[in-house]
Amino acid sequence: MMRCSEFEIRLCEYLDGTLEEAARREVGQHASECRACASLLADSGSLAAFLERVPAVEAPPELVTTVLYRTQQVRPGRFAAGWKRWLAPVLQPRFVMGMAMTILSFSMLSRVAGVKIRQLEAADMNPAGVWQGVTNQAHRVWDRGVKFYQNIRFIYEFMGQLRGLEGEEEPTAEQPTGGAPAAPPGDSRRLEPVKAGPAKK
Amino acid sequence: MASAVEAGGRGLESDPDAPLVVRCLRGDEAAWEAIVKLHTRRIYSICYRFTGRAEEAQDLTQDVFLRVFRNLKSFDLGVGTFRIWLTRLTRNLLIDHYRKTRKEKLVDSIEERLPVLEEMEGVAGRPEGRLAGREAGELLRAGLEKISPELREAVILRDIEEMEYREIAEVLGVPDGTVKSRISRGRAELARTLRQLGVVM
């Protein structure tokens, strides 16, 4: 006797028509004896008839293009992904900005130091030459600084002496009015307009 | 990659896709395009029948090919055909997708489908012979959605995609007998569901 679980399995081949005659008869007999299995057989048959009316699904025509496009995007990504991972910390706006500022400040420094990039030649790049250039520049900057300092000192000394001369001259000019009280009248004269300002407001 | 190329010789006779796969693994873009063109309709059809939604089926088809593109190296030509491997990958993706979206679907399926089903009832009352292809397709979609995914996939692969029992067993990773029994039960359940939708069977 065939069991229902076996009937379920054999039913497929029964409907396909691939069962041998003996097995075929067995399936038919089980269906005639078992109500549940008989309806299983009937349902399967009518479903097959229904499915014949259902048209095949057609994919949207643009789907192939979309798939190819998306896989194209992945393909170069294989290599780019590796580079991007390594360059990720470098490719940040902050880093790029910092880099730009560094280049700018170096170019300004080199301008100040008198290095002309356009006139640079391979021979200029040898270490001894670079060192010489740097010490040369350093000496020049130092000398310039020293000269500037000395010039300023000279001017201050000169100004100081000039003031000293003026100071010596002043007492001699005001000597007739009498030594100390010479300053107060001068002071009050200068302060008057300042005091008058807020008073008028 | 090496194993697939070496095994290419063996797979060439039994698997019509094998030469394309071998070329594809060597970086031949035309071969990849040919593979996509050959299989898109079938993969889309499986996805559409399983999900019942055109947009979802398109997205899933794209995902399938992206996954194939990335994992082609892992396909072993010596073990099975590309077609079965591709179908298994699709099926696994569909099941993942089903598990992820199950809860959302329970909510929106009734609201979304109500107008379609109402419209269908008028149509379905007519004898089966007079059902137009498009209407039959809509009814099949509504019917498939109501049966369990386990039975649904078996019926789709056998009755719509017309795969061999042995191939389906490989795709689903279950014995032949289980496949046949699922097909029989799935057919019966689908037929019952279609009757509930008003189809005269």
Side-chain angles (χ1 to χ4, degrees):
Chain A
M1 277 301 286
M2 184 182 270
R3 281 177 303 165
C4 292
S5 56
E6 200 185 330
F7 178 86
E8 275 180 3
I9 295 169
R10 288 294 178 90
L11 182 59
C12 285
E13 289 147 315
Y14 178 84
L15 291 168
D16 293 340
T18 54
L19 274 187
E20 286 171 22
E21 191 51 40
R24 204 177 163 72
R25 240 181 289 139
E26 232 181 308
V27 169
Q29 199 189 341
H30 181 88
S32 68
E33 288 164 2
C34 173
R35 233 182 190 194
C37 288
S39 73
L40 203 66
L41 173 63
D43 283 345
S44 297
S46 53
L47 180 72
F50 173 81
L51 288 177
E52 273 176 24
R53 317 218 149 263
V54 178
V57 172
E58 287 302 327
E62 72 277 7
L63 189 55
V64 170
T65 324
T66 316
V67 167
L68 288 173
Y69 174 71
R70 283 192 65 187
T71 44
Q72 274 299 327
Q73 281 184 317
V74 175
R75 194 189 290 271
R78 271 187 196 167
F79 305 103
W83 281 110
K84 266 184 194 161
R85 209 178 49 225
W86 285 104
L87 290 175
V90 175
L91 287 174
Q92 282 175 3
R94 240 190 309 171
F95 188 90
V96 174
M97 198 63 196
M99 204 64 202
M101 294 318 286
T102 310
I103 290 169
L104 186 70
S105 51
F106 264 98
S107 69
M108 282 167 78
L109 269 179
S110 65
R111 242 185 118 78
V112 167
V115 177
K116 282 176 184 160
I117 293 166
R118 279 188 196 166
Q119 289 169 4
L120 272 184
E121 282 171 28
D124 297 330
M125 297 310 287
N126 85 60
V130 170
W131 178 246
Q132 211 174 1
V134 167
T135 47
N136 197 6
Q137 283 296 333
H139 277 114
R140 275 196 205 168
V141 168
W142 176 253
D143 288 348
R144 229 183 274 167
V146 168
K147 208 184 264 178
F148 183 71
Y149 171 75
Q150 282 173 345
N151 284 348
I152 282 186
R153 207 175 72 170
F154 173 75
I155 287 168
Y156 270 87
E157 275 174 4
F158 181 77
M159 294 285 278
Q161 278 177 357
L162 210 68
R163 249 181 233 147
L165 280 176
E166 278 175 359
E168 276 170 21
E169 273 170 20
E170 258 181 59
T172 50
E174 288 175 21
Q175 245 174 3
T177 53
D187 265 352
S188 67
R189 238 189 306 157
R190 274 181 211 162
L191 287 172
E192 245 174 291
V194 182
K195 273 182 183 173
K200 273 176 192 169
K201 272 180 187 176
Chain B
M1 183 172 166
S3 67
V5 175
E6 282 161 22
R10 263 182 294 151
L12 284 176
E13 306 88 37
S14 54
D15 186 354
D17 293 314
L20 280 178
V21 173
V22 172
R23 274 170 58 198
C24 201
L25 286 172
R26 287 180 188 141
D28 186 342
E29 281 187 34
W32 170 249
E33 205 177 315
I35 286 178
V36 173
K37 280 181 180 162
L38 268 174
H39 294 280
T40 295
R41 197 207 64 78
R42 202 174 65 88
I43 298 307
Y44 175 78
S45 169
I46 296 174
C47 293
Y48 177 75
R49 287 298 177 211
F50 192 86
T51 61
R53 285 166 172 82
E55 312 85 56
E56 271 183 53
Q58 285 189 47
D59 291 346
L60 285 162
T61 308
Q62 290 174 31
D63 291 347
V64 166
F65 280 104
L66 279 175
R67 208 179 266 196
V68 169
F69 189 76
R70 291 199 187 102
N71 299 318
L72 200 59
K73 279 184 226 163
S74 70
F75 166 58
D76 191 350
L77 278 165
V79 169
T81 65
F82 176 73
R83 199 172 93 102
I84 291 172
W85 183 75
L86 176 62
T87 315
R88 185 163 54 228
L89 201 143
T90 307
R91 183 261 176 184
N92 291 343
L93 208 75
L94 283 171
I95 294 295
D96 287 348
H97 178 76
Y98 171 80
R99 289 191 184 130
K100 260 184 256 166
T101 58
R102 184 167 38 184
K103 277 176 191 166
E104 304 161 23
K105 277 199 174 160
L106 281 177
V107 180
D108 71 19
S109 69
I110 300 166
E111 295 162 10
E112 200 180 297
R113 289 304 144 97
L114 217 57
V116 182
L117 289 178
E118 275 168 4
E119 183 195 312
M120 209 76 71
E121 265 163 29
V123 170
R126 281 183 265 152
E128 187 198 302
R130 271 192 260 154
L131 273 181
R134 198 184 65 83
E135 293 157 349
E138 279 295 305
L139 285 164
L140 174 64
R141 184 169 84 156
L144 279 172
E145 203 172 44
K146 286 198 163 58
I147 69 174
S148 76
E150 199 177 66
L151 302 181
R152 195 191 309 171
E153 61 186 8
V155 172
I156 289 172
L157 294 180
R158 177 63 195 167
D159 288 340
I160 296 167
E161 299 309 321
E162 296 176 340
M163 291 177 83
E164 302 287 333
Y165 300 114
R166 182 186 46 79
E167 291 178 328
I168 300 172
E170 272 187 66
V171 169
L172 303 182
V174 294
D176 277 22
T178 311
V179 169
K180 288 171 187 165
S181 133
R182 280 186 197 173
I183 291 169
S184 289
R185 280 187 286 138
R187 281 168 176 168
E189 212 163 294
L190 182 58
R192 262 198 298 277
T193 315
L194 287 170
R195 258 201 301 275
Q196 279 170 10
L197 287 169
V199 181
V200 180
M201 310 265 306

